[in-house]
């Protein structure tokens, strides 16, 4: 932070509708509080009915409405004040290094300076209501994790798009890394399940301007390299969660049959009895539905330095990922998908929020070959070309189902591991991301002379593991991972500005006394 | 290898006892520190026994189960005191190689961590009041990964500081980021 300009540049404000959108949450809280105050009166809901028909004192209702109105005013005022206290600006110092200033907070004032070079991914999100109003939120993820993210909510779509491009100009430092041995991606990366020409035609139509209006968020020059049709997404999701859906059907049939035979009381008893099952089922199904909503309209674009994902039905996500910010890539193949030759690709990015811990979907579902090609695009490695060394028969005792599928392959750029009897996955980690290597050996593993090797990756990326390797094998793997990770260590000059933000990247100063600062 | 086996009591192998590496133990004072919680458990056991016996003498109804429970707690504490704690502490080893730091520990559940010097972000030397009195400290290596568990407890204070300075110098020379 040495080169930071001391003079605060003029701050830009968020969209004036932000306080309105933000005050709903506060209003909710205040309504709850009001409800708590009037609980005795409200306990018997009949009085509302009575009040409306003039048979009890109307004054109570008026009082309640008054409190509600007051709450609305207070929350609107608070939201407006906090909107006034929020601002951001992008500065560039003499060396052209960009910094984002972000000031916020009414009582606890927070001033963040974000080095744009350290930004891991840039998202433009549109929750449902802001989307209807033509607003979106710009979110910057930093390697330090959720606490360090900056969420600029809300901006006009066009402003958000412009701001994203401005930020990306400062972050995009990496040269384009393409899979060396292969032609450009458009040929193979078509909508999976439609190997005929229709997919390409659809993409052509889409790029030609057939896209629904997301004005301002579309970036010219970004090449659409893949998209997923809704029907395909739904089929894939149903297949993936087929056990949950089957369970639901059995459960419903059981309920109906039970209620017919034993009457409604039995039905109630059964529901109560099956509460844990019901909860699990509802959770699974809602997870599936939300993932479907999230991945609907999935489009993948190629940007000069990375890829951009755009997806979502009710709320849309628009996320830009530079190739050199990718910490790991995973190819997932659930059991039933394999019959159809489908696969999904996930990427790990440093930082990111908790709900994205499983990684961002780079491709929710596509054909296996297209998925492999996509992996090659982002990592430079063809995962199917490696020689996977199996875990050996010793692993059978500890993993009787999946031991045959455990395997590790070393590439020039990184290591890949294969696993999973039913839900097969290949995880790839670039050597340059390896932070440390850990070998672990439990009591049973020791009896069998086996050990598990882990690669520790930056926060936000899933830990890479090679399960149940033989002793010598594990020793070789540890040695090799460390040796190649060291070989990838960059010269100090380049590293200096890419060091994560333990030191300086994201300085948030908090002060309880607002008067001390010269702002606003 | 034979010496390793004799020293540590666990079979040597290439993975956890890489040959040709100068493994260093931690200070035996760590045993004292780790024994303190065991002492608390033992005191509880003894207190239970005394209480049981005293009440029995006064003429309270059957209290020998309390005495037995106290005996059991004391026995467990004794096993921890004399066997488990010394063995666990003596399993901590670390080694500085040219390019990376190795840390291993555990007997039943063994763990080996390798941290390339270039990946170190922060090196911490910390000591709680008890270890401070004993003159030992813990050196913790922080990388960008939350999963890295590279901690060496029970280093004599001056050894810890020397190690920190050496690591810092090596890290400075080989730093790389994310």
């Amino acid at each position: 932070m040495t080169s930071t300009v001391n003079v605060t540049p003029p701050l830009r404000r968020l969209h004036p509708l932000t306080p309105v959108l933000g005050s709903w949450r506060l209003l909710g809280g205040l309504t709850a509080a009001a409800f708590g105050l009037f609980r005795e009166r409200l306990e018997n809901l009949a009085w509302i009915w009575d009040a409306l028909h003039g048979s009890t004192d109307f004054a109570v209702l008026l009082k309640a409405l008054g409190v509600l109105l007051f709450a609305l005013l207070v929350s609107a005022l608070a939201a407006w004040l906090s909107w006034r206290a929020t601002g951001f600006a992008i500065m560039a110092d003499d060396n052209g290094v960009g910094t984002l200033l972000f000031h916020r907070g009414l009582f606890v004032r927070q001033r963040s300076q974000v080095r744009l070079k350290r930004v891991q991914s840039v998202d433009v999100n549109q929750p449902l209501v802001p989307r209807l109003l033509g607003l979106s939120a710009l979110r910057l993820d930093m390697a330090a994790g959720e606490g360090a993210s900056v969420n600029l909510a809300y901006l006009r779509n066009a402003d958000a798009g412009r701001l994203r491009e401005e930020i990306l100009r400062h972050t995009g430092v990496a040269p384009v890394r393409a899979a060396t041995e292969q032609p450009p991606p458009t040929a193979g990366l078509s909508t999976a399940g439609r190997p005929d020409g229709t997919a390409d035609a659809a993409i052509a139509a889409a790029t030609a301007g057939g896209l629904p209006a997301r004005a301002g968020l579309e970036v010219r020059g970004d090449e659409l390299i893949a998209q997923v049709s809704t029907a395909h997404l739904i089929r894939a999701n149903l297949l993936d969660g087929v056990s949950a859906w089957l369970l639901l059907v059995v459960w419903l049939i059981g309920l109906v049959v039970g209620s017919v035979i034993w009457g409604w009381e039995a039905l109630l008893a059964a529901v109560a009895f099956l509460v844990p099952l019901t909860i699990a089922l509802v959770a699974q199904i809602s997870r599936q539905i939300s993932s479907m909503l999230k991945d609907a309209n999935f489009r993948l674009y190629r940007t000069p330095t990375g890829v951009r994902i755009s997806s979502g039905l009710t709320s849309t996500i628009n996320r830009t990922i530079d190739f050199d910010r990718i910490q790991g890539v995973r190819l997932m193949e659930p059991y039933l998908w394999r019959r159809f030759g489908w696969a999904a690709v996930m990427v790990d990015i440093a930082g990111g929020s908790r709900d994205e811990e499983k990684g961002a979907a780079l491709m929710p579902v596509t054909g296996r070959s297209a998925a492999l090609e996509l992996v090659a695009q982002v990592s430079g490695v063809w995962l199917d070309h490696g020689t996977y060394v199996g875990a050996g028969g010793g692993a059978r005792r500890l993993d009787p189902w999946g031991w045959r599928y455990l395997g590790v392959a070393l590439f020039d750029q990184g290591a890949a591991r294969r696993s999973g009897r039913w839900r097969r996955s290949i995880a790839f980690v670039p050597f340059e991301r390896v932070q440390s290597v850990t070998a672990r050996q439990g009591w049973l593993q020791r009896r069998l002379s086996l050990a598990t090797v882990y690669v520790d990756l930056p926060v936000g990326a899933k830990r890479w593991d090679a399960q149940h390797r033989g002793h010598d094998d594990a020793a070789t793997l540890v040695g090799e991972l460390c040796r190649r990770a060291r070989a990838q260590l960059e010269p100090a000059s380049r590293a200096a500005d890419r060091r994560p933000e333990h030191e300086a990247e994201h300085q948030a100063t908090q002060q309880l006394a607002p008067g001390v600062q010269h702002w606003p | 290898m034979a010496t390793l086996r004799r020293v540590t009591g666990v079979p040597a192998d290439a993975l956890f006892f890489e040959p040709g590496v100068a493994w260093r133990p931690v200070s035996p004072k760590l045993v004292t520190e780790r024994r303190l919680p065991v002492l608390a458990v033992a005191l509880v056991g003894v207190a239970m026994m005394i209480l049981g016996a005293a009440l029995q003498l006064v003429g309270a109804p059957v209290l020998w189960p309390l005495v037995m429970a106290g005996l059991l707690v004391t026995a467990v504490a004794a096993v921890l005191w004399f066997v488990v704690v010394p063995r666990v502490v003596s399993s901590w080893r670390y080694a500085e190689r040219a390019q990376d730091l190795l840390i291993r520990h555990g007997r039943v559940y063994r763990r080996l961590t390798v941290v390339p010097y270039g990946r170190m972000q922060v090196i911490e030397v910390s000591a709680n009041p008890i270890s401070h009195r004993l003159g030992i400290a813990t050196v913790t290596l922080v990388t960008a990964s939350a999963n890295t568990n590279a901690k060496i407890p029970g280093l004599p204070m001056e050894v810890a500081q020397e190690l920190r300075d050496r690591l810092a110098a090596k890290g400075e020379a080989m730093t790389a980021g994310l």
Side-chain angles (χ1 to χ4, degrees):
Chain A
M1 291 292 106
T2 46
S3 54
T4 310
V5 191
N6 285 326
V7 185
T8 311
L11 291 167
R12 285 143 81 181
R13 290 245 161 85
L14 299 172
H15 194 271
L17 273 177
T18 304
V20 181
L21 290 167
S23 69
W24 284 112
R25 253 171 288 156
L26 199 52
L27 182 65
L30 284 173
T31 314
F35 187 75
L37 276 174
F38 283 83
R39 199 149 54 97
E40 304 92 73
R41 308 305 285 270
L42 287 170
E43 231 146 39
N44 182 4
L45 278 177
W47 74 269
I48 296 179
W49 179 257
D50 291 344
L52 286 174
H53 286 74
S55 53
T56 38
D57 57 324
F58 205 60
V60 178
L61 191 66
L62 275 182
K63 233 186 273 176
L65 277 177
V67 168
L68 219 61
L69 204 65
F70 179 70
L72 183 65
L73 274 177
V74 167
S75 61
L77 185 70
W80 181 73
L81 284 175
S82 107
W83 171 76
R84 284 216 351 145
T86 309
F88 64 94
I90 289 184
M91 311 183 302
D93 67 5
D94 304 337
N95 306 323
V97 177
T99 308
L100 174 78
L101 281 186
F102 184 43
H103 293 194
R104 87 200 111 145
L106 194 53
F107 300 110
V108 180
R109 206 163 264 182
Q110 221 173 325
R111 321 177 82 190
S112 313
Q113 294 186 350
V114 179
R115 284 255 166 143
L116 293 178
K117 263 193 178 167
R118 308 268 166 76
V119 168
Q120 301 287 326
S121 71
V122 185
D123 302 3
V124 176
N125 298 325
Q126 290 182 304
L128 185 58
V129 177
R131 189 181 169 194
L132 296 176
L133 295 168
L135 301 178
S136 44
L138 189 84
R139 185 190 157 103
L140 306 179
D141 274 330
M142 317 298 299
E146 191 161 24
S149 299
V150 170
N151 197 17
L152 298 174
Y154 295 94
L155 301 164
R156 277 219 317 274
N157 285 348
D159 291 344
R162 263 201 301 278
L163 191 59
R164 176 179 61 193
E165 291 202 38
E166 197 177 337
I167 289 168
L168 285 175
R169 265 205 304 283
H170 289 289
T171 58
V173 286
V176 179
R177 183 198 298 174
T180 39
E181 322 122 58
Q182 289 287 321
T186 4
L189 279 175
S190 53
T191 314
R194 286 193 289 166
D196 49 334
T198 51
D200 288 343
I203 292 175
T207 18
L211 291 175
R214 281 198 202 156
L217 293 183
E218 293 308 326
V219 184
R220 309 150 308 283
D222 283 2
E223 177 196 7
L224 179 71
I225 53 177
Q227 64 176 4
V228 178
S229 73
T230 310
H232 191 200
L233 187 74
I234 291 173
R235 273 200 299 269
N237 254 298
L238 288 179
L239 275 183
D240 190 14
V242 74
S243 50
W245 294 104
L246 274 180
L247 206 61
L248 178 72
V249 170
V250 169
W251 183 80
L252 283 176
I253 291 175
L255 281 192
V256 170
V257 170
S259 66
V260 165
I261 297 176
W262 293 295
W264 286 101
E265 298 85 350
L267 183 72
L268 283 178
V271 170
F273 184 68
L274 295 173
V275 162
L277 178 68
T278 315
I279 291 173
L281 207 58
V282 168
Q284 167 66 24
I285 286 166
S286 72
R287 201 163 40 233
Q288 284 236 321
I289 288 172
S290 71
S291 103
M292 261 191 273
L293 287 178
K294 210 179 83 200
D295 289 336
N297 287 328
F298 192 93
R299 289 194 186 83
L300 186 68
Y301 297 87
R302 180 71 184 260
T303 69
T305 55
V307 287
R308 187 161 57 82
I309 293 161
S310 151
S311 74
L313 191 64
T314 52
S315 337
T316 68
I317 299 172
N318 221 303
R319 146 170 283 201
T320 311
I321 305 167
D322 278 357
F323 284 140
D324 70 340
R325 302 293 148 94
I326 289 175
Q327 308 285 337
V329 190
R330 270 169 293 143
L331 185 83
M332 315 283 292
E333 294 172 276
Y335 181 67
L336 287 169
W337 285 19
R338 290 210 299 276
R339 313 252 163 237
F340 301 92
W342 296 347
V345 181
M346 313 286 250
V347 286
D348 287 326
I349 308 152
S353 56
R354 244 173 291 130
D355 55 318
E356 287 155 7
E357 209 162 83
K358 64 176 187 145
L362 192 61
M363 176 47 70
V365 57
T366 186
R368 191 170 198 271
S369 55
L372 284 168
E373 192 171 337
L374 190 58
V375 172
Q377 288 289 317
V378 299
S379 66
V381 161
W382 291 85
L383 287 180
D384 53 341
H385 290 185
T387 332
Y388 287 84
V389 183
R396 178 159 51 186
R397 298 273 194 77
L398 293 176
D399 190 357
W401 302 108
W403 69 278
R404 277 176 199 282
Y405 303 93
L406 297 172
V408 172
L410 293 175
F411 297 89
D412 290 341
Q413 298 93 329
R417 77 105 175 82
R418 206 175 52 181
S419 76
R421 170 73 181 85
W422 309 108
R423 215 182 158 74
R424 204 168 296 170
S425 78
I426 304 180
F428 174 80
V429 54
F431 288 126
E432 62 201 66
R433 305 298 184 215
V434 175
Q435 298 296 317
S436 63
V437 181
T438 306
R440 281 168 176 273
Q441 187 178 50
W443 178 72
L444 276 172
Q445 284 184 316
R446 196 171 138 201
R447 304 291 298 268
L448 297 164
S449 282
L450 298 174
T452 297
V453 177
Y454 296 93
V455 171
D456 303 319
L457 293 168
V459 181
K462 200 167 183 285
R463 205 177 192 194
W464 187 94
D465 59 335
Q467 299 276 352
H468 310 318
R469 312 299 301 183
H471 255 168
D472 295 339
D473 203 10
T476 318
L477 193 57
V478 170
E480 203 61 11
L481 283 168
C482 288
R483 193 178 65 73
R484 298 204 192 188
R486 282 198 310 264
Q488 292 282 342
L489 289 184
E490 300 134 304
S493 60
R494 193 179 154 207
D497 51 40
R498 290 183 55 195
R499 206 173 302 158
E501 56 277 21
H502 276 290
E503 308 122 316
E505 167 172 323
H506 189 274
Q507 285 190 335
T509 46
Q510 295 199 351
Q511 276 185 250
L512 284 169
V516 178
Q517 299 192 349
H518 308 288
W519 188 84
Chain B
M1 298 303 260
T3 52
L4 259 184
R5 184 173 294 142
R6 204 184 63 239
V7 169
T8 60
V10 277
D13 62 67
L15 177 58
F16 290 97
F17 298 87
E18 194 167 317
V21 169
W23 288 103
R24 292 198 221 162
V26 300
S27 162
K29 284 179 184 161
L30 185 62
V31 177
T32 318
E33 188 189 325
R34 296 277 158 100
R35 268 177 177 167
L36 283 178
V38 180
L39 184 67
V41 174
L43 286 178
V44 169
V46 171
M48 282 162 79
M49 281 194 290
I50 292 174
L51 187 71
L55 288 175
Q56 194 87 16
L57 284 180
V58 171
V62 224
L63 278 167
W64 60 266
L66 188 61
V67 179
M68 294 306 281
L71 203 63
L72 193 69
V73 169
T74 318
V76 168
V79 171
L80 286 172
W81 182 283
F82 290 108
V83 183
V84 178
V85 171
R87 281 176 61 87
V88 166
V89 167
S90 70
S91 78
W92 280 100
R93 288 279 193 287
Y94 69 98
E96 291 169 75
R97 289 197 303 192
Q99 304 279 346
D100 42 31
L101 184 81
L102 310 182
I103 303 168
R104 69 168 176 77
H105 88 118
R107 282 173 186 276
V108 176
Y109 190 82
R110 298 201 285 187
R111 200 188 71 207
L112 168 81
T113 305
V114 188
V115 187
Y117 294 130
R119 300 297 197 217
M120 293 184 307
Q121 305 280 343
V122 177
I123 305 155
E124 260 175 38
V125 178
S126 57
N128 61 33
I130 292 162
S131 28
H132 205 81
R133 277 194 82 99
L134 292 166
I136 55 176
T138 302
V139 174
T140 311
L141 270 64
V142 181
T143 69
S145 169
N147 288 321
T148 302
N149 186 357
K151 208 166 59 171
I152 316 172
L155 291 176
M157 207 64 93
E158 59 277 15
V159 174
Q161 275 158 13
E162 283 163 26
L163 181 65
R164 178 196 60 197
D165 295 344
R166 269 201 308 279
L167 292 178
K170 283 172 176 166
E172 192 72 22
M174 305 182 205
T175 291
L178 289 181

